[in-house]
């Protein structure tokens, strides 16, 4: 309930605002009221959007219901009184609320004061307890501090004793080169020395720390010299260590500074690769690309020999084998880059791909053998490399050793791209030769040229191979080559194999032959048949043979296949190439080329079908329609058009079975070109006798022929097919709309010119969107004189303008005024749809009646203005009662 039934002094306590004689409650107040007054049946007056007028219309839906108006008013008054009593009771009940609240507040203040006193008491007791505990534990804290100081002093003295004794023992072990015994004392002394760093300002401690540093430096120099002596080509037998001693020395090295270990490994790896650098110097024949596998074989042998001899010397976490391999890759990459830069002219694509394939296989082998930790690979990458399988289509390129050597080949990949360009050029020449041969559609069992599939298969192989080599600039260059040969394939293969039309030169004699044969002919069936027979006999426009039509359809379907595959190719290239080149790959121009080829093929098919109808349309124009004496079956030129449809369309439809959308587009474009041409020929037909009257029989025959052509066009998509497939709705709408216009033109011609006003109105009714030029053509068909045409055209302009103004004025009037009920006009004998299509006429009449009928008005429009018997009910008090009820409701619910 969003509005009260009465206004009292207490309302201001709960009503936030009042304006325009309306009370507005807040959202919270409304929710509380709804909760308190919640009932099973919601009273309409409780609705927030309660409307007085709608409620009255609900109570009194008709005049008969006004008989109970007095009872309704009395019931309303009772409800108002009851609500007033309830409000009064509630107001009186709130009289003592202020006093009760004041008592409750005083009681709460007393309770808070008592609680505060208790809290102060508890706090005081806690402070006294804390002081007592501190007094008890004061002596214990002093003893605990003394214990910690004593323990620290004893520990420091022990460390000092260890440091002094350790330095002396280490000096003796260093002299004896007992590296196995040095390791543990060295680790202990190093840790103890770190502990004494905080006492470095004491002179004795400082001297001990310097002695430890000196021992570490001495060990580093001595171990390095021992390694060089052990691996020297002519070692001195005096201090040469065995492998076990070298292994202990490596463990000691791990404790020393990391720089010492790094320098030792650098010298050792260079010493191991010294033989390789000598064997594969750039001056050696074995260093060229054709023997690149010998490089990799040398490393395999060397690693096996190294791990067999010295594998136990170095700790596993040193990864010496992997470090040797990484340095080998670096040296090999530099050597190959220098050699290829000097001998670029000697590199061909076969040699380049051989070297790249061997290198990639070697890099994958290294990735399986080593973890790549020395290259900075994360543990996740190491695990992925070891578990990821390599496949033929997805080679293992994301490896830790990827491009460690192969990077040197990327500057020379333009050789590979040029090779692809040459191969595609040769392949295209082969495709061009294939396109010149007759295409055997029945044997191939496909309308798509096999060469298009071969082209994209070659593209796929090149893309996969290039992705293995590089997915950067070379992949982008490959995409440019693909674009180039897609355009050439479209121009030289598809457009080159499309049949061309050869125009006949016999057209000049056709007109004379037709005019002679149609002179003074009276009967349509005889005249039209003779004209068309002699017209075809004399000569005809050059048309495509059946094989040519099939070839055009094959070019179309091949263009469709290429269009779809080019999009997939573009997506795949963008997926493979690095992000820097994604935005540069764009094949929209190539897709536009194939779009144009498809459109041209459809246009050729449309022109061929149009050419087959040209002779029939010319025969139609030459017929003496004003002399037709009887109405028979459809004319010979219509039969010829239908025969042309049956002969041509099935071949196109069957060949385009896999491209149904383009066959539908072909049908659309044909009717869009053919029907306007038919209407232009229709304007040239003369249907009026010499006395100015219409030849009704000629008009009816032409109307029959137009309807037959309309039916043939509707059946065009499925003509000659064993399966009666429904034509697309869009196609059907176009045919029905345009051919109905042709029928309306004939019906306008059948309408007498006199009286002119009626004729003009009939024209605007049948052809609402007719232009003045078309109107003049209709007048020419009726053989109206030029002087009379000017008067009729002026009348047409005036009538059309008046109709337009009337339409603009009636539109707003129909929205503001209540229309009256009018009878629908009865169809006359001159109504065109009544003759041609009774069903359509009935529908049109029904729609007209519905448009003109008075809409059903709401009861509210009659409130306060009842007439007739309603005003006389209940001794003339009904009108007064209605106004009284409306006033009461508006007062309570403004």
């Amino acid at each position: 309930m969003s509005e009260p039934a009465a206004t009292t002094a207490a309302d201001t306590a709960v009503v936030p605002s009042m304006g325009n004689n309306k009370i507005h409650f807040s959202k919270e107040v409304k929710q509380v009221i709804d909760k308190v007054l919640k009932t099973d049946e919601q009273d309409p007056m409780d609705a927030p959007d309660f409307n007085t007028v709608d409620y009255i219309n609900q109570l009194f839906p008709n005049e008969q219901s006004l008989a109970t108006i007095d009872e309704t008013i009395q019931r309303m008054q009772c409800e108002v009184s009851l609500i007033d009593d309830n409000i009064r009771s509630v107001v009186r009940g709130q009289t003592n609320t202020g006093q009760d609240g004041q008592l409750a507040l005083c009681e709460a203040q007393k309770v808070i004061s008592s609680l505060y006193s208790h809290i102060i008491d508890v706090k005081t007791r806690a402070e006294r307890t804390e002081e007592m505990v501190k007094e008890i534990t004061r002596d214990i804290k002093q003893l605990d501090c003394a214990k910690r100081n004593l323990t620290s002093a004893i520990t420091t003295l022990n460390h000092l004793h260890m440091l002094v004794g350790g330095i002396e023992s280490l000096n003796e072990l260093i002299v004896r080169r007992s590296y196995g015994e040095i390791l543990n004392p060295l680790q202990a002394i190093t840790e103890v020395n770190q502990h004494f760093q905080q006492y470095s300002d004491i002179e004795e401690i400082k001297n001990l720390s310097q002695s430890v540093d000196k021992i570490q430096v001495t060990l580093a120099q001595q171990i390095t010299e021992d390694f060089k002596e052990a691996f020297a080509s002519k070692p001195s037998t005096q201090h040469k260590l065995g492998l076990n001693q070298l292994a202990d020395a490596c463990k000691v090295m791990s404790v020393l500074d990391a720089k010492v270990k790094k320098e030792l490994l650098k010298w050792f790896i260079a010493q191991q690769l010294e033989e390789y650098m000598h064997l594969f110097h750039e001056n050696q024949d074995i260093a060229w690309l054709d023997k690149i596998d010998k490089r990799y074989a040398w490393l395999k042998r060397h690693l096996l020999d190294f791990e067999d001899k010295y594998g136990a010397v170095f700790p596993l976490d040193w990864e010496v084998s992997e470090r040797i391999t990484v340095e080998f890759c670096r040296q090999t990459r530099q050597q190959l880059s220098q050699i290829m830069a000097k001998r670029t002219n000697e590199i061909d694509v076969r040699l380049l791909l051989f070297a790249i394939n061997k290198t990639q296989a070697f890099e994958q082998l290294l990735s399986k053998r080593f973890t790549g930790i020395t290259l900075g690979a994360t543990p996740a990458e190491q695990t992925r490399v070891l578990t990821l399988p390599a496949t033929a289509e997805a080679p293992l390129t994301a490896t830790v050793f990827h491009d460690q050597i192969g990077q040197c080949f990327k500057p020379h990949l333009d050789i590979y791209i040029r090779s692809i360009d040459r191969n595609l050029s040769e392949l295209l020449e082969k495709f061009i030769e294939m396109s010149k041969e007759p295409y055997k559609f029945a044997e191939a069992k496909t309308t798509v040229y096999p060469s298009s599939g071969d082209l994209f298969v070659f593209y796929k192989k090149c893309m996969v191979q290039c992705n293995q080599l590089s997915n950067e600039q070379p992949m982008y260059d490959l995409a440019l080559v693909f674009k180039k040969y897609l355009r050439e394939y479209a121009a030289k293969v598809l457009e080159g194999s499309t049949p061309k039309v050869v125009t006949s030169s016999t057209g000049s004699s056709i007109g004379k032959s037709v005019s002679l044969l149609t002179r003074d002919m009276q009967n349509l069936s005889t005249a039209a048949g003779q004209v068309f027979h002699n017209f075809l006999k004399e000569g005809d426009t050059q048309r495509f043979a059946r094989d040519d039509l099939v070839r055009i359809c094959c070019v179309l379907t091949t263009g469709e296949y290429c269009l779809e595959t080019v999009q997939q190719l573009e997506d795949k290239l963008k997926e493979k190439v690095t992000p820097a080149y994604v935005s540069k790959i764009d094949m929209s121009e190539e897709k536009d080329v194939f779009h144009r080829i498809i459109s041209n093929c459809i246009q050729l098919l449309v022109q061929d079908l149009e050419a087959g109808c040209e002779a029939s349309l010319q025969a139609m124009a030459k017929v003496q329609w004003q002399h037709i004496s009887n109405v028979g079956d459809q004319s010979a030129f219509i039969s010829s058009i239908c025969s042309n449809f049956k002969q041509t369309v099935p071949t196109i439809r069957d060949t385009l079975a896999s491209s149904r959308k383009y066959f539908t587009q072909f049908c659309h474009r044909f009717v869009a070109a053919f029907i306007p041409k038919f209407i232009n020929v229709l304007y040239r037909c003369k249907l009026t006798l010499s006395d100015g009257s219409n030849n009704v029989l000629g008009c009816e025959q032409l109307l029959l022929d137009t309807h037959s052509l309309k039916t043939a066009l509707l059946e065009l998509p499925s003509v000659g097919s064993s399966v009666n497939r429904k034509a697309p709705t869009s196609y059907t709408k176009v045919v029905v709309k345009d051919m109905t216009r042709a029928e309306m033109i004939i019906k306008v011609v059948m309408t007498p010119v006199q009286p002119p006003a009626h004729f003009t109105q009939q024209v605007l009714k049948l052809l609402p969107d007719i232009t003045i030029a078309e109107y003049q053509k209709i007048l020419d068909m009726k053989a109206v004189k030029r002087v009379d045409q000017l008067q009729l055209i002026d009348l047409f302009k005036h009538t059309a303008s008046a109709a337009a103004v009337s339409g603009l004025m009636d539109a707003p009037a129909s929205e503001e005024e209540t229309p009256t009920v009018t009878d629908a006009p009865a169809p006359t004998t001159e109504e065109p749809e009544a003759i041609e299509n009774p069903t359509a006429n009935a529908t049109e009449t029904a729609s007209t009646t519905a448009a003109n009928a008075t809409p059903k008005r709401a009861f509210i429009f009659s409130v306060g203005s009842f007439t007739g018997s309603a005003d006389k009910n209940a001794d003339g008090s009904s009108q007064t009662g209605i106004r009284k009820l409306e006033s009461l409701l508006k007062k309570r619910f403004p």
Side-chain angles (χ1 to χ4, degrees), residues 35-36 44 54 73 153 198 247 254 278 291 296 399 517 772:
K35 184 177 180 180
V36 173
D54 292 341
I73 294 173
Q198 56 184 331
S254 299
H278 177 73
K291 297 180 178 62
Y296 307 142
T399 61
L517 290 170
I772 295 179

Side-chain angles (χ1 to χ4, degrees), residues 288-299:
W288 186 229
L289 297 180
D290 58 347
K291 297 180 178 62
I292 195 172
D293 52 335
K294 296 186 181 299
R295 293 175 177 268
Y296 307 142
W298 179 91
L299 179 65

Side-chain angles (χ1 to χ4, degrees), residues 282 284-285 287-291 338-355 412 415 418:
E282 63 180 15
Q284 303 295 326
D285 293 339
W288 186 229
L289 297 180
D290 58 347
K291 297 180 178 62
Q338 295 172 0
I339 295 173
M340 288 190 292
K342 294 178 180 179
R343 303 171 63 178
T344 304
N345 297 333
E346 301 179 29
I347 304 175
D348 58 17
V349 67
R350 192 180 301 273
L351 180 60
L352 181 65
L353 293 179
F354 168 78
H412 304 278
I415 299 173
R418 290 197 297 269

Side-chain angles (χ1 to χ4, degrees), residues 651-667:
T651 301
I652 299 174
R653 183 183 60 243
D654 295 342
T655 313
L656 295 179
S658 61
S659 303
R660 186 70 188 178
K661 64 178 179 180
Y662 290 116
F663 174 72
T664 304
Q665 187 176 346
F666 155 74
C667 296

Side-chain angles (χ1 to χ4, degrees), residues 653 660 717-726:
R653 183 183 60 243
R660 186 70 188 178
S718 59
V719 64
S721 175
S722 58
V723 180
N724 188 13
R725 186 171 183 176
K726 186 178 179 180

Side-chain angles (χ1 to χ4, degrees), residues 615-790:
S616 303
L617 293 178
Q618 292 184 11
M620 169 187 169
K622 297 300 181 180
V623 173
Q624 302 263 347
W625 296 99
Q626 67 272 30
H627 299 306
I628 299 300
S629 58
N630 64 326
V631 179
D633 199 359
Q634 66 183 22
S635 301
F637 68 88
I638 296 295
S639 299
S640 176
I641 292 175
C642 295
S643 176
N644 177 44
F645 291 166
K646 293 179 181 179
Q647 181 181 0
T648 306
V649 174
T651 301
I652 299 174
R653 183 183 60 243
D654 295 342
T655 313
L656 295 179
S658 61
S659 303
R660 186 70 188 178
K661 64 178 179 180
Y662 290 116
F663 174 72
T664 304
Q665 187 176 346
F666 155 74
C667 296
H668 272 283
R669 290 171 67 169
F670 171 72
V671 296
F674 175 74
I675 295 179
K677 185 179 294 186
F678 172 78
I679 292 177
N680 288 334
V681 175
L682 184 63
Y683 282 132
R684 292 157 52 190
C685 297
K686 304 300 181 182
L687 298 169
T688 306
L689 299 174
S690 57
D691 58 355
S693 61
N694 293 327
N695 184 2
V696 179
L697 296 178
C699 292
E700 291 180 354
Q701 181 63 49
L702 188 56
L703 190 62
L704 174 64
D705 292 338
T706 303
H707 183 73
S708 299
L709 181 59
K710 175 182 177 181
T711 303
L713 290 174
L714 289 174
E715 297 174 352
L716 179 67
S718 59
V719 64
S721 175
S722 58
V723 180
N724 188 13
R725 186 171 183 176
K726 186 178 179 180
T729 305
S730 58
Y731 171 80
T732 304
K733 288 182 179 179
V734 172
V735 173
V736 170
K737 177 184 176 182
D738 293 347
M739 290 305 296
T740 301
R741 182 177 182 82
E743 294 174 345
M744 292 301 103
I745 292 173
I746 300 174
K747 292 176 182 180
V748 168
V749 175
M750 294 173 65
T751 305
V753 178
Q754 300 296 333
H758 176 267
F759 175 72
T760 303
Q761 291 177 356
Q762 193 70 5
V763 170
L764 292 174
K765 182 178 181 180
L766 296 179
L767 299 171
D769 56 344
I770 188 173
T771 62
I772 295 179
E774 293 173 336
Y775 182 66
Q776 189 170 3
K777 290 179 181 179
I778 292 176
L779 296 179
D780 291 339
M781 292 178 67
K782 296 178 68 63
V784 178
K785 297 179 181 179
R786 291 294 177 184
V787 177
D788 297 336
Q789 284 189 15
L790 295 176

Side-chain angles (χ1 to χ4, degrees), residues 205-331:
I205 299 299
K206 183 177 180 182
N207 293 335
L208 290 174
S209 180
Q210 291 176 353
S211 299
V212 173
D213 294 340
K214 184 178 179 181
I215 289 174
Q216 292 179 345
V217 173
T218 303
L219 277 174
Q221 293 175 353
Q222 183 171 303
I223 292 174
T224 302
E225 292 174 359
D226 290 342
F227 263 90
K228 292 181 179 180
E229 183 70 21
F231 289 95
S233 57
K234 296 180 180 180
S236 174
T237 56
Q238 183 179 359
H239 299 294
K240 184 175 182 180
L241 301 181
L243 296 181
N244 292 333
Q245 289 180 298
L246 291 177
D248 294 336
C250 289
K251 295 177 183 178
V252 174
M253 272 287 189
S254 299
V255 181
L256 301 178
D257 190 4
K259 294 181 180 179
V260 179
K261 169 186 168 183
K262 184 177 180 181
E263 292 297 328
L264 177 63
L265 288 175
K266 182 178 180 182
W267 167 83
F268 180 77
I269 292 171
Q271 192 267 345
Q272 292 294 308
L273 294 177
E274 185 177 355
E275 178 187 357
Y276 170 74
M277 298 300 293
H278 177 73
L279 287 176
F280 292 92
H281 191 270
E282 63 180 15
N283 296 331
Q284 303 295 326
D285 293 339
I286 199 175
W288 186 229
L289 297 180
D290 58 347
K291 297 180 178 62
I292 195 172
D293 52 335
K294 296 186 181 299
R295 293 175 177 268
Y296 307 142
W298 179 91
L299 179 65
K300 295 176 186 177
R301 292 194 306 270
H302 183 77
L303 288 179
L304 291 174
D305 184 61
F306 166 76
E307 292 177 356
D308 184 43
K309 291 182 179 180
Y310 309 114
V313 173
F314 300 95
L316 294 177
D317 60 337
W318 282 27
E319 300 289 349
V320 179
S321 296
E322 182 174 327
R323 294 179 187 275
I324 293 174
T325 303
V326 171
E327 181 63 18
F328 169 85
C329 294
R330 189 186 68 83
Q331 295 287 352

Side-chain angles (χ1 to χ4, degrees), residues 169-170 173-174 177-191 215-216 219 223 245 247-256 315 318:
S169 61
L170 278 178
L173 294 174
I174 289 173
R177 285 183 166 79
S178 300
Y179 298 120
E181 301 176 14
I182 289 176
L183 180 60
N184 291 332
L186 179 62
Q187 290 177 332
I189 289 175
T190 302
E191 295 176 2
I215 289 174
Q216 292 179 345
L219 277 174
I223 292 174
Q245 289 180 298
D248 294 336
C250 289
K251 295 177 183 178
V252 174
M253 272 287 189
S254 299
V255 181
L256 301 178
W318 282 27

